[in-house]
Amino acid sequence: MPPKSKDSRPGGRSARVRAAVHQATVELVQEVGTDKVTLPAVARRAGVNPSSVYRRWGTTSALLADVAARRQDEGTPELLGELRKDLERAAVWTLTDLSRPGGVAFFRAEVAPDVDERRAGLRECLERVSTRFHAALAAAARRGEETPPLERVLERVVAPLYFRVVFSIPETDEEYARGLVTELCDWGAAAAAAQEPSLAQDTGAPTGQPVRETYAPPGDARPVTPASDTRVSGPGPR
């Protein structure tokens, strides 16, 4: 990666150019769709030199991915200190991000026609969404709360939201997003309660002594163990 120039500092010329290009990109996506957005058109709308756009992003796909990443970072909700509420806020924010103008278009842009670009785009999208929910799970684990695996959260909360928004299924609203989290938490609690007696026998722990699941952050081989007694939260995904 080339060294940053003095213009790349926050609030500098580079930041202003990036903001103008991002705004122009969002406007063009809303007007003509991602398929018809070109770097020269973005440069004209943003009032910047096309060479600056080509030098920084290179391709339209790279620009769209950069805008998508920036949009997902904006307005990320703060943690409240309770797992269910924090997951609900993350789910509602994910839905809001997808539903705002251009949201689905940017997601579809990441699913590029080229196989390698598609895989990279989907991987980056998954990492961004995972980070949002990982923060809530890791904080809950540090407090000693029982936490579901991140993969289960993605399957039971994130995947349904993306599916319903992409295919424009009615009644995909904040109430639906919160309901997904409620089902996840209630299912995990019921499954954990049902398994406690057998887990106690397998681990040699006294009956009724919970065994709490360790939470491993994505990309980190070291699990976050919230307490000396650990509880497993139910069976694997259906």
Side-chain angles (χ1 to χ4, degrees):
M1 179 180 295
K4 293 183 177 180
S5 68
K6 62 181 182 180
D7 289 335
S8 64
R9 65 188 183 276
R13 180 178 180 277
S14 179
R16 292 194 298 271
V17 168
R18 186 187 186 203
V21 170
H22 278 205
Q23 181 61 34
T25 303
V26 172
E27 292 174 358
L28 287 172
V29 166
Q30 294 175 13
E31 293 173 10
V32 302
T34 56
D35 293 342
K36 297 181 180 179
V37 172
T38 65
L39 294 186
V42 170
R44 285 194 299 271
R45 177 66 64 93
V48 301
N49 194 311
S51 63
S52 299
V53 178
Y54 277 102
R55 184 168 57 251
R56 179 155 188 168
W57 288 280
T59 66
T60 304
S61 297
L63 173 58
L64 292 172
D66 188 38
V67 175
R70 179 69 174 269
R71 282 162 63 95
Q72 289 203 22
D73 291 338
E74 294 174 349
T76 301
E78 296 182 0
L79 299 178
L80 298 176
E82 181 181 333
L83 179 59
R84 183 180 296 227
K85 291 182 178 179
D86 288 338
L87 290 178
E88 284 182 353
R89 297 191 78 182
V92 169
W93 166 240
T94 299
L95 175 62
T96 301
D97 179 58
L98 274 174
S99 301
R100 62 179 171 170
V104 173
F106 282 108
F107 170 69
R108 287 175 174 158
E110 290 182 298
V111 188
D114 180 80
V115 174
D116 292 334
E117 289 186 5
R118 182 189 313 142
R119 289 173 178 169
L122 289 174
R123 183 167 55 250
E124 291 176 5
C125 179
L126 179 60
E127 288 175 355
R128 288 196 301 270
V129 177
S130 297
T131 298
R132 187 178 302 161
F133 286 86
H134 154 61
L137 293 171
R142 289 192 295 269
R143 294 192 300 269
E145 296 182 37
E146 181 183 350
T147 59
L150 176 61
E151 182 180 358
R152 187 174 300 155
V153 176
L154 296 176
E155 289 179 350
R156 295 179 178 271
V157 178
V158 177
L161 289 176
Y162 270 77
F163 176 84
R164 292 176 68 96
V165 172
V166 168
F167 289 98
S168 303
I169 298 178
E171 299 182 3
T172 306
D173 50 19
E174 291 188 10
E175 182 179 356
Y176 174 78
R178 292 191 177 93
L180 291 174
V181 173
T182 298
E183 291 177 0
L184 170 72
C185 294
D186 290 350
W187 178 85
Q195 284 201 357
E196 278 182 11
S198 61
L199 285 171
Q201 294 175 3
D202 294 340
T203 59
T207 303
Q209 190 73 17
V211 180
R212 182 169 302 140
E213 183 179 72
T214 58
Y215 171 69
D220 191 343
R222 297 168 298 174
V224 178
T225 306
S228 58
D229 58 331
T230 58
R231 174 176 306 174
V232 175
S233 59
R238 293 178 294 183

